[in-house]
Amino acid sequence: MLVACSGAVGAPGGGHSKKYVINVMFSNYDFPGIVETLTKRAREFEKKHPEYKLNVEFPYYQRLPEDVEKAALNGEAPTIASYNTSATQFAWDTMDANGKPVFTPIGKAIAGRTQILGEKVVVDDLVPAGRNYYSVAGELAAMPLSLSTLHLFANMTMLKAAGVQSVPRTWDEITAACDALAKVATSPEHCIAFANEGKLFQQALAQAGVPLTDNDNGRSGRATTVDLNSPELVGFATWWQRLYQSGYFLYTNKMEDWGGTFDAFAKQQVAFGVTSSFAINWKVDAAKQGNFELGVGPTPSSRAPYSGAWLGGEGMYLAAGLDKKTQDGALAFMNYLNSPKNGAEWHTAYGSSPVTGGVYKELQRQGYYKDHPDHLVTVEQLNAAPTTSGGSSALVGAFAGIQSSLMRAIDDIMEKGADPLARLTRADDISQELLTDYNDHCLVVGLRPTTCYTVDS
């Protein structure tokens, strides 16, 4: 837990100049490169700006919201905290002991400046998907640190043997490809596998440009209602069920089974898989080891072109009520992390899609995309600005419970043959109760129950 508050501190005896302390909580994940790369950036920033001292911590992303709240209630809120996208609503709902919001929009704090402490401000160069996701009521609320989305991965060796020459982009094209594969004697028993995961539902809605909640997906006001039985979600569940009933879909009988579905694709038990863009390099390695050609494309949708995309990763939030020197140091550090050179290293170390156009151009200059062309799919997908409010993922409380209700519904639709509309209507009722309960009981001052900030599904 943090022990030092933001602000100027002096060395014992007053023999050294004062330093402004910036306490940072970065979300940690089960990926290599995070701690080492961000710690390196912090030490570099201190050398460039010796008047600042950065204390950097790395709580696990699911624990971070609770750690921030406990620190805030003790008057020790971090200067910067990076929240996973699925925890975005929690950042704005976190309050100090006086009931005041812990964070303030960075757009307001930057106030149109192009440089802060000599560091170039990069917010005007953010990729469209990132800027749209982190904009609330027309204000840039947070600085994206990492960006990801979902992709379709294809075994093109299998597909070409079946006469399919390109990666499908729609549900109908997937079904047609599976029909073609079924006619080839050497094809595997199943055609496609992906995890029963809440992110898939968000992707289906974002690609169709359909909101999950009211108030412009929670961006023009607090989300108070959900819509889990929209024609778009029912259509997605119905297509999924038909794939399963036809024998094309390999269901591992486990929710969130990213590992199991990844293995099925790597072992060529299926021709298609869906997973995060963070996994592109792992898929490339699997293809090399399996001696097959890899194809990468956007997650298939009901139609193309798409209206938006689900966004993963995390954003950095700025504490409210800071003195100007500390606030400027924090803002300068956020922009320093996203400079072209540093952002390019972050991509190669961790796998985040470029956050700014400048990072993309730096990777291009380095020749990265010549050696890693599959990563361009992510860039192209996130550079397409959402055409409606539904094109960006929802900001909503009780998100983990809402996604879990969708996953349980799909399990019944697959395993029990439940009617998609009826089962999603039941999930809608359950999720509405969860959201209403969150809005009624989790927006209080003081330490809240852990269930109020359960992250992810």
Side-chain angles (χ1 to χ4, degrees):
M1 195 55 58
L2 300 174
V3 295
C5 301
S6 297
V9 295
H16 300 281
S17 61
K18 290 183 177 181
K19 287 184 180 287
Y20 290 85
V21 176
I22 298 174
N23 292 313
V24 188
M25 278 189 178
F26 286 119
S27 287
N28 204 353
Y29 301 84
D30 296 322
F31 296 109
I34 297 175
V35 174
E36 298 82 0
T37 306
L38 291 175
T39 300
K40 177 183 175 182
R41 294 286 91 85
R43 300 292 81 86
E44 290 172 352
F45 187 84
E46 288 175 332
K47 288 182 180 178
K48 286 189 69 177
H49 305 278
E51 68 272 31
Y52 290 97
K53 168 65 178 173
L54 273 67
N55 297 324
V56 184
E57 295 189 1
F58 296 89
Y60 197 60
Y61 80 100
Q62 291 177 312
R63 201 190 76 216
L64 181 137
E66 185 173 2
D67 284 359
V68 171
E69 179 167 280
K70 288 178 179 178
L73 291 174
N74 288 329
E76 299 169 349
T79 320
I80 300 170
S82 72
Y83 281 69
N84 181 271
T85 53
S86 60
T88 298
Q89 188 63 56
F90 300 151
W92 299 119
D93 291 344
T94 300
M95 294 177 282
D96 62 19
N98 297 314
K100 295 182 179 179
V102 168
F103 299 109
T104 190
I106 67 164
K108 180 180 178 181
I110 291 172
R113 289 177 286 176
T114 58
Q115 286 194 353
I116 300 176
L117 302 182
E119 304 293 346
K120 184 178 179 181
V121 174
V122 301
V123 294
D124 289 338
D125 192 35
L126 292 173
V127 299
R131 170 169 282 280
N132 278 273
Y133 181 83
Y134 287 106
S135 293
V136 180
E139 184 82 78
L140 184 63
M143 171 78 84
L145 173 63
S146 299
L147 297 177
S148 69
T149 187
L150 296 175
H151 289 324
L152 176 70
F153 295 87
N155 184 322
M156 294 306 301
T157 302
M158 283 187 194
L159 292 175
K160 288 179 179 179
V164 180
Q165 300 300 318
S166 59
V167 179
R169 298 180 69 87
T170 66
W171 299 342
D172 288 344
E173 289 176 3
I174 284 284
T175 302
C178 291
D179 287 340
L181 280 166
K183 297 174 183 176
V184 179
T186 56
S187 295
E189 179 182 359
H190 301 288
C191 176
I192 185 170
F194 47 83
N196 180 5
E197 230 284 6
K199 297 175 180 64
L200 271 297
F201 301 97
Q202 295 182 60
Q203 180 78 321
L205 285 175
Q207 286 178 312
V210 176
L212 176 71
T213 77
D214 60 344
N215 292 324
D216 299 311
N217 250 357
R219 283 178 170 75
S220 61
R222 177 174 295 280
T224 61
T225 62
V226 294
D227 186 4
L228 271 60
N229 58 356
S230 64
E232 288 74 18
L233 276 190
V234 173
F236 176 53
T238 301
W239 170 72
W240 195 345
Q241 185 185 53
R242 287 172 181 164
L243 283 178
Y244 177 71
Q245 291 176 340
S246 68
Y248 291 158
F249 188 82
L250 173 62
Y251 188 45
T252 64
N253 302 101
K254 291 171 61 178
M255 297 180 188
E256 302 176 284
D257 191 12
W258 293 109
T261 56
F262 180 94
D263 287 345
F265 181 80
K267 294 175 181 177
Q268 302 188 64
Q269 296 169 351
V270 292
F272 296 108
V274 176
T275 193
S276 170
S277 58
F278 277 125
I280 288 177
N281 288 343
W282 297 340
K283 294 284 190 181
V284 170
D285 289 343
K288 289 179 180 177
Q289 292 175 19
N291 195 31
F292 63 88
E293 180 186 349
L294 181 71
V296 184
T299 313
S301 183
S302 58
R303 62 182 182 273
Y306 312 121
S307 296
W310 168 81
L311 194 72
E314 68 267 6
M316 296 179 286
Y317 294 79
L318 176 71
L322 300 172
D323 64 88
K324 188 176 188 311
K325 285 288 291 185
T326 303
Q327 178 173 278
D328 281 357
L331 291 170
F333 181 56
M334 288 183 187
N335 283 280
Y336 177 72
L337 289 173
N338 284 328
S339 71
K341 178 177 177 295
N342 291 336
E345 183 179 344
W346 184 233
H347 173 80
T348 56
Y350 176 42
S352 166
S353 180
V355 168
T356 69
V359 174
Y360 166 72
K361 290 176 183 177
E362 175 64 19
L363 287 166
Q364 221 177 14
R365 186 192 67 78
Q366 294 176 8
Y368 182 82
Y369 293 114
K370 290 182 180 179
D371 297 327
H372 304 84
D374 294 321
H375 287 268
L376 285 171
V377 176
T378 314
V379 173
E380 291 166 4
Q381 191 164 322
L382 296 184
N383 276 342
T387 56
T388 69
S389 59
S392 292
S393 304
L395 307 183
V396 57
F399 215 164
I402 292 169
Q403 293 192 88
S404 292
S405 69
L406 281 166
M407 292 189 297
R408 288 192 294 270
I410 276 292
D411 195 64
D412 285 346
I413 290 168
M414 303 275 277
E415 293 287 273
K416 299 178 181 179
D419 175 72
L421 175 58
R423 189 58 185 84
L424 286 173
T425 297
R426 179 182 167 199
D428 184 76
D429 292 340
I430 294 169
S431 296
Q432 186 59 58
E433 287 186 18
L434 291 171
L435 178 56
T436 299
D437 184 73
Y438 177 91
N439 288 341
D440 286 348
H441 302 291
C442 290
L443 306 178
V444 295
V445 179
L447 189 62
R448 297 172 288 174
T450 300
T451 52
C452 285
Y453 31 62
T454 301
V455 178
D456 222 335
S457 52

